[in-house]
């Protein structure tokens, strides 16, 4: 029986992290999967990759395997596990055991079985049998942009995706499809909607992955959005700021009349509680006031401003 260098098979260093091992596995599994690979030894390479990953992904198996690796090289013949090896590293929690109590489900090498038994507990989302392989499809993601009004009312939208499909000749080709998505009332930018089984295709008859749709808002010059809160800016004249007035304010559900109090400063905010995005905890709608001077003054207006100036100076002098 030959010794197998699982690190070499997985194309990683012995110091590789779990994330590095997982990344390498995904890359190699895609490359050598018998359903899509054109490599002559794809099936045997694929089995070796799955076997290596089954050991290196498991901390206990990896630690046990590392104890053997110091004195052996890949392909070196005459390998025999140390005495009482299986008794020492058997697992009684439904995984591998010395006697292979998990059943005749494994499709691994004699080297593997000599170390960990012949039972196969299975990777999450994957099932291997003799001559078969099943794995749930990968989850995928996309992003769509909606109008802010859609969050107030809820909506449905159609959007198109382009998937890479493998044809009968094992060639990859794009395939377009259109999906309908229901946008719930009160959704915020950055939230995701899950479409079950609309992700990557499953392998060997396993179910497809899921598709996660991230929501974004189309730019709108009227509104600044912060979570569920919305702010808009409204221009008012100096006399409206001084005397108070009613002004029209645009909101995503239509314009409203807002009473501006007397002596309002430029930059001050007025809060309309619960008029923001209608989520579980409704946001607020803020109106930011901006005092804007006229671009030019008529002679009469200039005279009135001069009178106002004189009056203000007089009042200041009297106050002293």
């Amino acid at each position: 029986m030959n010794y197998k260098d699982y690190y070499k098979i997985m194309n990683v260093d012995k110091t590789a992290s779990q994330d590095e091992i997982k990344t390498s596995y995904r890359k190699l599994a895609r490359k050598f999967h018998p359903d899509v690979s054109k490599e002559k030894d794809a099936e045997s390479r694929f089995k070796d990759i799955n076997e290596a990953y089954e050991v290196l992904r498991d901390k206990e198996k990896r630690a046990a395997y590392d104890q053997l690796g110091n004195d052996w090289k890949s392909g070196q013949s005459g390998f025999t596990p140390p005495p009482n090896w299986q008794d020492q590293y058997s697992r009684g929690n439904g995984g591998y055991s010395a006697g292979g109590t998990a059943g005749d489900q494994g499709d691994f090498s004699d080297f593997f079985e000599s170390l960990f038994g012949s039972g196969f507990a299975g990777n999450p989302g994957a099932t291997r049998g003799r001559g078969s392989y099943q794995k749930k499809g990968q989850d995928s993601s996309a992003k769509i942009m909606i109008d802010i009004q859609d969050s107030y009312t809820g909506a449905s939208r159609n959007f198109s995706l382009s998937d890479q499909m493998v044809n009968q000749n094992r060639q990859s080709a794009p395939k377009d499809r259109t999906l309908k998505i229901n946008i719930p009332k009160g959704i915020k930018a950055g939230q995701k909607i899950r479409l079950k089984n609309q992700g990557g295709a499953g392998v060997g008859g396993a179910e497809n992955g899921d598709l996660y749709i991230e929501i974004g808002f189309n730019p709108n010059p009227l509104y600044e959005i912060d979570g569920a809160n919305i702010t808009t800016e409204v221009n008012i004249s100096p006399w409206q700021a001084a005397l108070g007035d009613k002004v029209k304010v645009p909101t995503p559900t239509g314009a409203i009349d807002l009473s501006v109090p007397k002596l309002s400063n430029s930059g001050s905010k007025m809060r309309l509680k619960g008029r923001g995005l209608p989520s579980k905890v409704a946001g607020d709608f803020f109106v930011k006031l901006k005092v804007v001077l006229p671009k030019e003054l008529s002679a009469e207006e200039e005279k009135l401003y001069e009178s106002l100036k004189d009056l203000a100076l007089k009042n200041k002098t009297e106050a002293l």
Side-chain angles (χ1 to χ4, degrees):
M1 179 170 56
N2 294 337
Y3 177 85
K4 287 195 173 187
D5 188 337
Y6 289 142
Y7 291 101
K8 185 176 181 180
I9 292 172
M10 290 291 293
N11 196 26
V12 296
D13 296 329
K14 288 186 177 181
T15 58
S17 67
Q18 290 299 312
D19 287 340
E20 289 172 332
I21 290 172
K22 184 184 293 185
T23 298
S24 182
Y25 168 72
R26 290 176 176 173
K27 181 179 179 180
L28 293 172
R30 286 194 296 267
K31 180 178 180 180
F32 292 103
H33 195 288
D35 290 344
V36 296
S37 179
K38 296 182 180 180
E39 302 287 340
K40 293 182 179 180
D41 58 347
E43 185 172 354
S44 62
R45 289 289 299 274
F46 188 67
K47 289 181 179 180
D48 284 344
I49 292 164
N50 283 323
E51 180 176 317
Y53 182 60
E54 177 59 31
V55 174
L56 298 185
R57 76 179 185 89
D58 186 291
K59 291 182 180 180
E60 294 182 19
K61 292 191 185 72
R62 183 178 179 181
Y65 171 77
D66 286 345
Q67 293 188 28
L68 298 172
N70 295 330
D71 299 324
W72 292 87
K73 295 181 180 179
S74 179
Q76 187 172 344
S77 61
F79 171 80
T80 302
N84 301 322
W85 171 266
Q86 291 182 339
D87 292 335
Q88 183 178 0
Y89 290 105
S90 64
R91 293 174 61 182
N93 59 356
Y96 289 95
S97 66
T101 57
D104 188 21
Q105 300 175 6
D107 194 20
F108 297 130
S109 68
D110 292 339
F111 171 76
F112 177 93
E113 292 183 2
S114 71
L115 297 180
F116 305 107
S118 61
F120 179 70
N123 287 330
T127 302
R128 298 176 185 85
R130 294 194 181 276
S132 66
Y133 176 85
Q134 286 188 322
K135 185 176 178 63
K136 180 181 178 180
Q138 288 189 341
D139 294 338
S140 55
S141 60
K143 184 175 183 178
I144 63 171
M145 306 297 289
I146 65 173
D147 293 331
I148 188 174
Q149 288 84 355
D150 294 333
S151 179
Y152 276 83
T153 60
S156 61
R157 292 286 182 272
N158 293 329
F159 70 102
S160 299
L161 290 174
S162 182
D163 298 325
Q164 292 294 321
M165 306 296 291
V166 178
N167 58 27
Q168 295 179 346
N169 297 323
R170 296 184 177 179
Q171 295 176 330
S172 179
K175 181 179 179 180
D176 295 332
R177 59 179 173 139
T178 300
L179 296 176
K180 183 178 181 180
I181 179 173
N182 293 318
I183 300 168
K185 183 178 179 179
I187 197 165
K188 298 189 289 291
Q191 289 187 317
K192 294 181 179 180
I193 298 173
R194 175 192 177 207
L195 300 182
K196 186 175 175 59
N197 295 335
Q198 294 298 327
V203 177
E207 66 178 1
N208 295 345
D210 299 330
L211 175 62
Y212 290 87
I213 305 295
E214 181 181 350
I215 298 297
F217 287 133
N218 290 317
N220 191 311
L222 294 178
Y223 308 115
E224 178 182 328
I225 305 171
D226 181 15
N229 297 328
I230 301 174
T231 300
T232 191
E233 188 174 72
V234 173
N235 295 338
I236 59 174
S237 64
W239 51 90
Q240 287 176 313
L243 303 175
D245 198 2
K246 281 191 175 182
V247 295
K248 289 285 186 182
V249 175
T251 77
T253 56
I256 62 171
D257 291 322
L258 180 67
S259 296
V260 177
K262 293 181 179 180
L263 303 178
S264 293
N265 292 318
S266 186
S268 62
K269 287 185 177 181
M270 301 181 65
R271 175 190 177 202
L272 302 179
K273 186 177 181 180
R275 295 293 292 268
L277 295 181
S279 54
K280 290 183 179 179
V281 179
D284 298 327
F285 191 90
F286 294 92
V287 180
K288 184 178 180 180
L289 302 177
K290 182 180 180 181
V291 178
V292 179
L293 292 171
K295 293 183 179 180
E296 59 182 34
L297 298 175
S298 65
E300 184 178 1
E301 288 172 333
E302 188 170 348
K303 185 177 180 181
L304 290 172
Y305 271 105
E306 288 288 350
S307 299
L308 181 60
K309 174 184 174 182
D310 293 341
L311 180 61
L313 291 174
K314 179 182 178 182
N315 291 338
K316 184 178 181 180
T317 301
E318 292 177 353
L320 296 175

